[in-house]
């Protein structure tokens, strides 16, 4: 079971801020599963085949770009958080 | 009404002027949209010149209507740096010295605007992620606004910056990790508490506007003209973008003539925006932070792509001096102009020096550089690089021996 947290800006599409997803082994598989459930999310998150730079994805608090990107492995109990990139400074 | 709403900087989708910071269409950042006809009718050089000697002399350009939460930020020292100019070979070098702001950094400009906005929105608390300067500024303005403040900083920043935030009664949360970790956590907290105003998160579109006042001051102090070149320190890149917007505002309402100002940006060695400009590649965040310049140590700069674009389109450049060059530059400024700036100012002066040496700035160019903080905040970094004191017994002979 992977715990997924969305920012409030996703809720127009996802309706809720927290969901749980089963049977996914990587962030890529998680995204595929989420996109099946929320096709509009895919349209907005993926631009020209690439993940938008305006949303960062964290696995247990670490940015996936410093792990293995979309190939980052997930295990039972992991927490995946989507966070708007434009903050701070 | 001077504020029409917010607009996505990427896809252009419009939103009401609320505490929003991300576009729900493309997740891009939002910016304030103004009624320029209103501003044009209301603003004039005479009105500004009769205004308070603070950033609020430019209130007609700022996205607030309420009575400002004002500690007196802005309209800081504007200095023709003849001594430093002579050393560097520049005839028209000017400094804006924000070390003299109420909490000793440029952050008072953005915070004064953002806290005023938080009051307008009726928010219950304030917050921010900070590399240090914002912490003290937010804590002080929160005290003035009688609001609680939650401040997230990376563990290990300068003691003086923490003390400054604590003395005003803010709750300071030291987060184990880098600024980017503290910022990520603060953003999560902001998401959980939409009625709290996190100045550089959910109030960011308004907050960023406060830095435009540095552009207005630049033009006003130069006799309502724009400079040839500016040199700006960069952490997230938001300051450089705001100065760029500020110059455009002045042209738009006719307070200055149009001019293509060259924008140069400076970061500590190896940081992403400068690296991207130098290598002609996209801005790529870095995880590992290695610099003594904590106030500019943002590995994932939110406005990086926008700052890079402005620098490139203006024909400017970016420099990332080493920590040692930064320290030497802090000392050079102190010894030539009598100004003790913090390490970020050292990055700017060291970057300026490189730009001049590379022939990117002409000696007759009107150049304005921005000193964003006070040297006493980061003095511990200098201790090992200064001459030691001379200790003697209270006897005239001993002193005479020292100077012999």
């Amino acid at each position: 079971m992977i715990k997924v947290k969305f920012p409030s800006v996703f809720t127009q599409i996802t309706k809720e801020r927290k969901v749980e997803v089963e049977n996914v082994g990587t962030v890529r598989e998680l995204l595929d599963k989420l996109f099946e459930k929320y096709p509009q999310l895919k349209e907005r998150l993926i631009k020209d085949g690439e993940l938008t730079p305006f949303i960062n994805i964290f696995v247990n608090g670490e940015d996936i770009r410093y792990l293995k990107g979309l190939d980052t492995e997930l295990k039972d109990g992991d927490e995946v958080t989507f966070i708007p990139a434009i903050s701070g400074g | 009404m001077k504020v029409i709403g917010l607009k996505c900087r990427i896809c252009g989708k419009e939103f009401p002027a609320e505490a929003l910071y991300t576009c729900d269409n493309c997740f891009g950042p939002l910016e304030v949209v103004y009624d320029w006809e209103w501003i044009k009718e209301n603003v004039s050089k005479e009105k500004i010149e009769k205004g308070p000697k603070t950033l609020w002399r430019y209130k007609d350009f700022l996205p607030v209507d309420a009575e400002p939460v004002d500690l007196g930020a802005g309209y800081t020292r504007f200095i023709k740096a003849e001594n430093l100019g002579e050393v560097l070979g520049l005839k028209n070098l000017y400094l804006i010295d924000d070390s003299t702001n109420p909490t000793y950094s440029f952050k008072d400009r953005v915070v004064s605007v953002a806290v005023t906005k938080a009051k307008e929105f009726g928010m219950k608390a304030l917050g921010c992620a900070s590399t240090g300067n914002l912490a003290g500024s937010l804590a002080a303005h929160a005290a003035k606004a009688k609001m609680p403040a939650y401040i997230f900083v990376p563990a290990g920043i300068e003691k003086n910056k923490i003390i400054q935030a604590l003395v005003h009664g803010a709750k300071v949360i030291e987060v184990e990790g880098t600024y980017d970790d503290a910022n990520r956590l603060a953003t999560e907290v902001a998401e959980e508490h939409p009625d709290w105003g996190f100045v550089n998160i959910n109030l960011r579109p308004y907050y960023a506007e406060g830095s435009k006042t540095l552009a207005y001051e630049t033009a006003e102090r130069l006799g309502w003209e724009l400079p040839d070149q500016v040199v700006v320190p960069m952490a997230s890149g938001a300051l450089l973008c705001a100065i760029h917007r500020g110059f455009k505002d002045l042209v738009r309402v006719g307070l200055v003539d149009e001019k293509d100002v060259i924008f140069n940006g400076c970061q500590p060695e190896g940081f992403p925006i400068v690296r991207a400009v130098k290598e002609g590649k996209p801005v790529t965040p870095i995880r590992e932070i290695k610099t003594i310049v904590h106030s500019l140590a943002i590995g994932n700069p939110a406005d990086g792509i926008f700052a890079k674009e402005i620098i490139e389109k203006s024909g400017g450049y970016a420099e990332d001096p080493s920590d040692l060059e930064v320290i030497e530059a802090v000392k050079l400024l102190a010894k030539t102009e009598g100004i003790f700036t913090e390490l970020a100012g050292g990055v700017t002066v060291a970057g300026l020096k490189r730009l001049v040496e590379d022939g990117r700035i002409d000696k007759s160019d009107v150049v304005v550089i921005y000193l964003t903080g006070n040297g006493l905040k980061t003095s511990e970094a200098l201790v090992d690089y200064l001459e030691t004191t001379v200790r003697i017994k209270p006897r005239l002979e001993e002193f005479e021996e020292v100077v012999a």
Side-chain angles (χ1 to χ4, degrees), chain A residues 4-89:
Chain A
V4 182
K5 254 169 94 179
F6 299 129
S8 51
V9 72
F10 280 19
T11 53
Q12 201 187 55
I13 299 168
T14 61
K15 308 296 175 211
E16 49 202 342
R17 296 264 327 272
K18 287 176 187 170
V19 296
E20 291 184 344
V21 178
E22 283 185 85
N23 299 324
V24 288
T26 62
V27 173
R28 190 188 305 277
E29 286 175 28
L30 172 70
L31 282 181
D32 286 343
K33 206 143 194 180
L34 291 174
F35 291 160
E36 263 174 44
K37 195 172 172 190
Y38 315 110
Q40 281 178 299
L41 196 59
K42 183 174 184 179
E43 289 164 28
R44 297 179 195 193
L45 269 183
I46 307 292
K47 300 281 173 207
D48 306 322
E50 300 255 348
L51 204 59
T52 169
F54 300 118
I55 294 288
N56 294 330
I57 303 175
F58 296 85
V59 174
N60 302 327
E62 182 59 282
D63 192 328
I64 60 163
R65 57 165 70 87
Y66 308 123
L67 299 169
K68 289 181 196 156
L70 293 176
D71 297 323
T72 302
E73 284 148 25
L74 297 175
K75 59 180 190 312
D76 204 34
D78 280 352
E79 189 174 277
V80 178
T81 316
F82 294 77
I83 297 182
I86 303 295
S87 68

Side-chain angles (χ1 to χ4, degrees), chain B residues 156-175:
Chain B
I157 61 165
E158 296 91 348
K159 271 189 201 143
N160 283 349
K161 290 180 177 172
I162 304 252
I163 290 167
Q164 196 190 2
L166 290 173
V167 78
H168 296 297
K171 190 83 187 160
V172 179
I173 319 290
E174 272 195 273
V175 179

Side-chain angles (χ1 to χ4, degrees), chain A residues 5 8 44 54 62 88-89, chain B residues 24 179 191 200 204 207 287:
Chain A
K5 254 169 94 179
S8 51
R44 297 179 195 193
F54 300 118
E62 182 59 282
Chain B
D24 63 9
Y179 172 80
E191 287 283 337
N200 54 353
R204 198 171 191 271
Y207 161 92
R287 182 74 178 108

Side-chain angles (χ1 to χ4, degrees), chain B residues 27-293:
Chain B
F27 308 125
L30 306 183
E31 65 181 3
V32 179
V33 182
Y34 296 91
D35 177 348
W36 287 102
E37 289 308 312
W38 186 96
I39 294 175
K40 214 168 175 175
E41 273 172 34
N42 280 275
V43 83
S44 71
K45 289 177 190 173
E46 296 70 30
K47 188 175 167 189
I48 291 170
E49 285 163 4
K50 279 188 204 146
K53 288 197 176 344
T54 70
L55 68 97
W56 293 104
R57 68 205 274 110
Y58 309 108
K59 191 177 178 187
D60 288 336
F61 286 108
L62 295 171
V64 295
D65 297 309
E67 192 56 33
V69 177
D70 181 20
L71 295 176
Y75 208 70
T76 52
R77 296 195 297 181
F78 184 82
I79 296 158
K80 183 161 192 194
E82 290 185 338
N83 295 348
L84 179 63
E86 197 181 318
V87 173
L88 298 178
L90 293 172
K91 286 186 178 160
N92 297 298
L93 174 62
Y94 296 87
L95 319 171
I96 289 192
D97 179 19
D98 262 2
S99 70
T100 57
N101 262 323
T103 74
Y104 317 108
S105 87
F106 85 107
K107 289 293 186 185
D108 289 333
R109 296 173 184 270
V110 281
V111 169
S112 186
V113 172
V115 172
T116 303
K117 202 67 198 172
K119 281 195 89 171
E120 260 183 51
F121 285 144
M123 289 171 139
K124 294 190 170 64
L126 296 163
C128 70
S130 171
T131 59
N133 282 327
L134 179 55
S137 182
L138 182 65
H141 285 84
K144 184 77 172 173
K146 299 183 190 166
M147 292 171 79
Y150 299 92
I151 291 168
F152 295 78
V153 297
I157 61 165
E158 296 91 348
K159 271 189 201 143
N160 283 349
K161 290 180 177 172
I162 304 252
I163 290 167
Q164 196 190 2
L166 290 173
V167 78
H168 296 297
K171 190 83 187 160
V172 179
I173 319 290
E174 272 195 273
V175 179
E176 290 170 15
T178 64
Y179 172 80
D180 300 292
D181 294 307
N183 187 40
R184 195 255 307 151
L185 180 60
T187 308
E188 281 195 66
V189 175
E191 287 283 337
E192 297 298 325
H193 298 275
D195 57 349
W196 293 7
F198 275 75
V199 293
N200 54 353
I201 302 173
N202 57 354
L203 295 174
R204 198 171 191 271
Y206 308 98
Y207 161 92
E209 295 297 271
S211 288
K212 294 196 309 185
T213 58
L214 277 164
Y216 307 147
E217 279 172 38
T218 300
E220 185 183 353
R221 298 294 189 96
L222 288 173
W224 296 107
E225 280 188 27
L226 299 184
D228 296 313
Q229 303 216 27
V230 293
V231 183
V232 185
M234 300 186 293
S236 72
L239 173 61
L240 186 139
C241 296
I243 292 172
H244 182 254
R245 277 200 308 284
F247 288 157
K248 282 206 311 198
D249 293 349
L250 295 173
V251 172
R252 194 195 290 247
V253 299
L255 290 188
V256 299
D257 290 334
E258 189 153 12
K259 185 170 181 180
D260 294 324
V261 180
I262 294 172
F263 279 78
N264 304 284
C266 301
Q267 292 196 290
E269 188 171 16
F271 274 69
I273 309 175
V274 175
R275 211 158 65 174
V277 170
K278 286 193 164 182
E279 294 171 4
K281 289 182 183 161
V283 179
T284 309
I286 54 169
R287 182 74 178 108
E288 208 175 331
I289 301 293
K290 275 192 215 154
T291 179
I292 55 169
V293 191

